[in-house]
C-alpha cells in the first residue's frame, strides 16, 4: 500500500496541554494508522526564541516525547525523532536560504506580530526571521505531501509552497514536492479563563497533570459572573466551564441537561464542574497509565529516539543527495555513487 507521507512537529518550549491534545495530537494519532508519519520534536525551532535557556530545551525534549507517547503516538507506526539529531534539517535550511527573498520573511504575519508582542527577549536575530525557512526544510526533507497544522500555521505553509516553486524554478522542476496543509478540524480549545489555552496565559490543563490538580483548577474556575448564588440562573454562553464542556464532554444529552439546568438554576456550578471533571478524568486515565510505564524506562526512551533519528536520517540523506548536484555543488570524490 502506498501511504502518503505526513510531517508535523512541535517545539519543546513547555509541557503540552489539552489544547495540543484536542487541537493536534488526537489527529496525529489517527493519521499514523493510514499514513507514513514523521513527527519531529523541533528543538532548533525552540532555540530560535529560547536561546537564552538551553538547559530547559534539553529537558523539555524528553517531556514532549513522554507526552506524545502517553497520548498514543507509537514508535512502531510513526517515525518519532528530535530535529537536531538529523543534521540534514540544518543543511536544507541553508540550501533554501539561498533563494529566500528577505521581503517574504519580513512580510510574514507571525513574525510581524511576535516581534511587536514578545517584549521580554531579543528576537531580532537572523534565525528568528528565518523560522519559516527551517519549517519548510523540516517538511521538504521528508518530501511530505500533507502537513497537519492549526490555522495559526497557514501563512507559514503558504511560504513553504512558494519556496518550493522558487527552488524548483532555479534548480529543476519537480525536485521538491509542494506540501499540502491538512487543517485540523478542532476549534481553539479554551483555557480555564476562557481565552485560548496557552502556556503563556497560565490557563492550561496539562496532559501530564494529576487528576487532583486538574480538579483543583476546574473547581476554582470562574463561571458566569451573574450566578452569584446557587439559585441565580446563569447563561452558559458567558461561562468558560461550558466552553470546555463543548470540547471534552462527548455526552450530548448530558450537555443539554447542563445547558437547561444552568439557565433554570436546576444545577449548581459545582455539579456542572464535577461532570466535566469526570469526562476529562476518564479520558486522561489511560494516558497517565501509559506515561507511568514509559517514565520508568529511560533506556526505552533513548532507543525510540535513536531508532527514530536513524529512520529519519535515511530519508533525509536521500533527499539531500538529489538536491546537491542540482544546486551545482561538486560532490566529494569518495562519495560519488
Ligand atoms: P508551537 O509549538 O509552535 O509553539 P503551540 O504551542 O502554540 O505552537 O501549539 C502547537 C499546535 O498545537 C498549534 O499549531 C495548534 O494546532 C495546537 N494548539 C495549541 N494550543 C491550542 C488550543 N488552545 N486549541 C487548539 N489547538 C491548539
Amino acid at each position: 500500500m502506498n501511504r502518503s507521507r505526513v510531517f508535523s512537529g512541535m517545539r519543546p518550549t513547555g509541557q503540552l496541554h489539552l489544547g495540543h491534545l484536542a487541537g493536534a495530537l488526537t489527529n496525529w494519532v489517527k493519521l499514523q494508522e493510514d499514513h507514513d508519519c514523521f513527527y519531529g520534536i523541533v528543538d532548533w525551532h525552540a532555540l530560535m526564541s529560547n536561546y537564552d535557556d538551553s538547559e530547559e530545551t534539553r529537558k523539555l525534549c524528553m517531556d514532549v516525547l513522554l507526552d506524545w507517547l502517553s497520548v498514543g503516538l507509537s514508535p512502531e507506526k510513526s517515525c518519532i525523532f528530535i530535529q537536531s539529531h538529523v543534521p540534514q534539517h540544518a543543511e536544507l535550511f541553508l540550501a533554501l536560504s539561498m533563494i529566500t527573498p528577505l521581503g517574504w520573511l519580513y512580510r510574514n504575519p507571525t513574525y510581524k506580530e511576535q516581534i511587536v508582542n514578545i517584549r521580554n527577549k531579543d528576537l531580532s536575530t537572523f534565525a528568528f526571521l528565518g523560522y519559516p525557512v527551517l519549517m519548510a526544510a523540516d517538511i521538504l526533507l521528508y518530501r511530505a505531501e500533507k502537513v497537519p497544522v492549526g490555522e495559526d500555521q497557514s501563512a507559514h505553509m503558504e511560504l513553504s509552497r512558494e519556496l518550493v516553486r522558487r527552488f524548483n524554478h532555479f534548480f529543476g522542476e519537480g525536485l521538491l514536492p509542494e506540501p499540502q496543509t491538512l487543517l485540523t478540524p478542532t476549534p481553539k480549545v479554551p483555557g480555564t479563563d476562557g481565552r485560548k489555552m496557552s502556556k503563556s496565559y497560565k490557563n492550561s490543563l496539562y496532559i501530564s497533570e494529576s487528576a487532583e490538580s486538574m480538579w483543583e483548577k476546574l473547581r476554582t474556575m470562574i463561571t458566569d459572573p451573574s450566578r452569584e448564588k446557587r439559585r441565580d440562573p446563569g447563561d452558559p454562553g458567558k461561562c468558560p466551564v461550558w466552553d470546555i464542556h463543548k470540547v471534552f464532554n462527548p455526552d450530548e444529552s448530558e450537555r443539554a441537561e447542563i445547558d437547561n439546568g444552568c439557565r433554570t438554576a436546576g444545577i449548581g456550578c459545582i455539579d456542572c464542574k464535577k461532570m466535566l471533571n469526570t469526562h476529562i478524568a476518564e479520558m486522561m486515565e489511560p494516558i497517565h497509565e501509559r506515561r507511568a510505564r514509559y517514565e520508568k524506562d529511560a533506556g526505552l526512551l533513548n532507543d525510540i529516539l535513536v531508532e527514530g533519528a536513524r529512520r529519519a536520517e535515511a530519508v533525509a540523506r536521500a533527499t539531500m543527495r538529489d538536491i546537491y548536484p542540482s544546486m551545482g555543488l561538486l560532490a566529494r570524490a569518495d562519495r560519488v555513487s
Side-chain angles (χ1 to χ4, degrees), residues 98-129:
M98 302 302 156
I99 53 109
T100 307
L102 277 174
W104 291 9
L105 299 177
Y106 283 123
R107 244 184 282 129
N108 165 21
T110 317
Y111 176 76
K112 288 204 284 196
E113 189 252 323
Q114 296 196 337
I115 212 80
V116 174
N117 288 325
I118 302 180
R119 286 258 144 255
N120 57 345
K121 53 185 114 184
D122 181 7
L123 292 181
S124 53
T125 58
F126 170 52
F128 191 69
L129 179 66

Side-chain angles (χ1 to χ4, degrees), residues 33-47:
E33 296 307 326
D34 48 7
H35 290 76
D36 184 21
C37 296
F38 285 71
Y39 294 128
I41 299 173
V42 290
D43 50 351
W44 280 122
H45 279 282
L47 279 183

Side-chain angles (χ1 to χ4, degrees), residues 201-220:
Y201 296 152
K202 305 207 180 324
N203 65 356
S204 298
L205 302 166
Y206 292 100
I207 292 175
S208 56
E209 193 160 347
S210 71
E212 295 72 35
S213 162
M214 199 95 84
W215 167 240
E216 198 47 31
K217 285 185 181 172
L218 292 176
R219 189 183 68 77
T220 51

Side-chain angles (χ1 to χ4, degrees), residues 45-176:
H45 279 282
L47 279 183
M48 284 177 165
S49 47
N50 293 359
Y51 56 84
D52 54 347
D53 198 354
S54 42
E55 202 48 54
E56 183 71 358
T57 301
R58 195 195 332 265
K59 184 190 148 309
L60 285 169
C61 279
M62 289 317 264
D63 280 346
V64 170
L65 176 66
L66 276 169
D67 283 335
W68 281 9
L69 295 170
S70 71
V71 301
L73 284 190
S74 153
E76 272 94 49
K77 295 176 183 163
S78 298
C79 178
I80 297 172
F81 65 98
I82 290 185
Q83 183 189 35
S84 67
H85 291 182
V86 182
Q88 289 80 3
H89 285 264
E91 277 184 58
L92 186 54
F93 171 59
L94 180 63
L96 292 174
S97 74
M98 302 302 156
I99 53 109
T100 307
L102 277 174
W104 291 9
L105 299 177
Y106 283 123
R107 244 184 282 129
N108 165 21
T110 317
Y111 176 76
K112 288 204 284 196
E113 189 252 323
Q114 296 196 337
I115 212 80
V116 174
N117 288 325
I118 302 180
R119 286 258 144 255
N120 57 345
K121 53 185 114 184
D122 181 7
L123 292 181
S124 53
T125 58
F126 170 52
F128 191 69
L129 179 66
Y131 188 105
V133 185
L134 181 58
M135 178 167 156
D138 299 340
I139 298 163
L140 300 172
L141 205 47
Y142 303 101
R143 302 182 173 283
E145 295 151 87
K146 297 176 187 166
V147 185
V149 288
E151 191 78 60
D152 52 338
Q153 295 293 327
S154 294
H156 286 160
M157 285 304 300
E158 196 42 55
L159 213 144
S160 292
R161 278 192 292 274
E162 277 168 341
L163 275 181
V164 168
R165 292 197 283 271
R166 198 168 153 83
F167 190 88
N168 289 348
H169 167 76
F170 283 115
F171 304 122
E173 285 313 321
L175 204 52
L176 291 173

Side-chain angles (χ1 to χ4, degrees), residues 11 17 19-20 23 150 152 187-189 196-197:
R11 297 184 310 151
H17 51 62
H20 295 114
D152 52 338
K188 282 193 174 53
V189 178
K196 180 188 168 187
M197 190 178 286

